Amino acid sequence: MKFKDLHTKYIGTNILHYPVLTSTNDKCKEIYKDVPSGTIIISDIQTNGRGKQSRHWYSPSGGIYLSIIIKPEKNLSKDLNKLPLVTAVALCQTLKSLEINTYIKWPNDIIFENKKLAGILCESKFKGSNLEYIIVGIGININSVLNNSDLTNIFTSLKKEFNKDFDKNYIISILLNNFEKYFTYMIDGKFHKCLKLYKLYCLILNKQVKLIKENSKEIVKVLDINENGSLKVLDSSNLIKDVFSSDVSLRGLIGYI
Ligand code: BTN
């Protein structure tokens, strides 16, 4: 069996694997009506992998590109801002079980040795006030070779760091086990347990960061991560405010992190 270490109740009970797709998130949008909640779409490569803020996600062979389709039974609209954090914790816990210590750049960039190893793109669709679907797209640079220097300034892969190949199906299985665990915490109102772990992995707590909002930039100090997934920051006028990831992107004072 391909995913023999998968021990979930519903996440990944239906796994659809493709050699190539434009984007696993896009495939989910095409087929969500016809598949059960918890279905996973995996592709070996993506020709139009998408990142946050409409950026491109470079998706050569060797990486993990997967999306989870959730068709919520409960109204999860108030939980949507927590989902990127839940997924980031599931990813860090998975890599930690392989003795790979990663960190999170809020809300959900996974960082290893100051470079981006994995990214998460959560998308959802409402029909009226009903949440039709949530799609959690995850890209991890596993055995990918990244040779363009523009890319390697910011991104890294496990192969590049450890000079060996990793078992992608094993990593996917552990990731889905962890995702189901932390997602269940969230829907059962126990997000605080996940947030506690998130804070341990979070790179920016008590640091100064640059918030980029359309045309403006602002330097703030990060005070905390709120229960709803937003950032609590102290701005340059000494005012405390909450910032949501849908409104800003975040940079370090000097570089990307
Ligand atoms: C980011 O950090 O900008 C998010 C990157 C998300 C990439 C993954 S790969 C699988 C899924 N399909 C996509 O087109 N994007 C996500």
Side-chain angles (χ1 to χ4, degrees):
M1 195 176 111
K2 260 178 146 184
F3 299 100
K4 64 175 171 36
D5 297 292
L6 183 67
H7 305 298
T8 50
K9 287 205 179 84
Y10 69 103
I11 297 289
T13 47
N14 182 32
I15 297 185
L16 305 175
H17 181 194
Y18 299 81
V20 53
L21 287 174
T22 52
S23 148
T24 54
N25 273 31
D26 292 348
K27 188 71 184 175
C28 290
K29 291 179 190 172
E30 236 174 87
I31 64 157
Y32 77 94
K33 283 196 174 128
D34 306 319
V35 295
S37 187
T39 293
I40 310 296
I41 306 287
I42 300 178
S43 186
D44 295 338
I45 58 174
Q46 298 183 117
T47 53
N48 192 23
R50 294 185 293 107
K52 284 172 291 183
Q53 277 105 27
S54 312
R55 282 194 286 257
H56 179 68
W57 184 261
Y58 180 57
S59 312
S61 77
I64 289 177
Y65 314 107
L66 71 79
S67 303
I68 308 168
I69 303 175
I70 294 159
K71 302 197 272 186
E73 284 164 13
K74 284 197 208 173
N75 184 352
L76 294 185
S77 43
K78 65 170 187 357
D79 286 325
L80 284 182
N81 283 313
K82 300 174 191 164
L83 193 60
L85 284 70
V86 165
T87 314
V89 167
L91 256 164
C92 287
Q93 291 284 82
T94 301
L95 293 162
K96 190 172 175 210
S97 70
L98 298 168
E99 296 182 348
I100 299 168
N101 290 321
T102 52
Y103 294 92
I104 304 168
K105 174 172 166 266
W106 181 85
N108 59 6
D109 288 352
I110 307 300
I111 306 295
F112 181 81
E113 301 283 358
N114 292 318
K115 295 206 171 155
K116 184 159 164 176
L117 181 65
I120 298 161
L121 179 66
C122 298
E123 299 183 283
S124 52
K125 183 182 167 191
F126 282 89
K127 202 171 195 179
S129 59
N130 264 357
L131 194 50
E132 281 235 296
Y133 65 65
I134 299 172
I135 297 170
V136 180
I138 302 171
I140 320 172
N141 303 324
I142 304 279
N143 304 321
S144 352
V145 179
L146 314 165
N147 31 30
N148 171 330
S149 64
D150 287 348
L151 280 173
T152 49
N153 283 338
I154 296 181
F155 295 91
T156 192
S157 70
L158 289 185
K159 175 146 186 160
K160 184 158 186 270
E161 298 292 338
F162 297 95
N163 207 15
K164 63 172 189 177
D165 280 328
F166 286 77
D167 179 346
K168 289 202 300 174
N169 288 342
Y170 176 73
I171 296 177
I172 290 172
S173 307
I174 307 304
L175 174 61
L176 297 180
N177 292 343
N178 279 320
F179 179 81
E180 185 173 276
K181 174 177 172 183
Y182 296 109
F183 184 76
T184 307
Y185 280 176
M186 183 186 88
I187 51 183
D188 288 350
K190 293 181 193 142
F191 175 69
H192 61 274
K193 285 190 175 186
C194 195
L195 187 58
K196 205 169 160 188
L197 281 170
Y198 185 94
K199 289 183 190 178
L200 294 176
Y201 287 118
C202 183
L203 271 176
I204 58 165
L205 269 181
N206 301 313
K207 300 228 169 84
Q208 286 203 306
V209 295
K210 204 188 289 169
L211 294 182
I212 304 176
K213 195 175 183 180
E214 285 161 12
N215 304 325
S216 66
K217 286 183 190 151
E218 184 185 10
I219 292 176
V220 298
K221 183 173 178 201
V222 178
L223 301 177
D224 203 0
I225 316 285
N226 295 312
E227 275 282 340
N228 62 8
S230 63
L231 271 192
K232 186 183 287 302
V233 301
L234 183 67
D235 73 10
S236 46
S237 330
N238 265 348
L239 290 175
I240 294 179
K241 61 184 184 189
D242 294 341
V243 176
F244 287 87
S245 58
S246 46
D247 300 331
V248 293
S249 10
L250 189 143
R251 293 285 177 279
L253 288 195
I254 303 167
Y256 175 72
I257 297 156

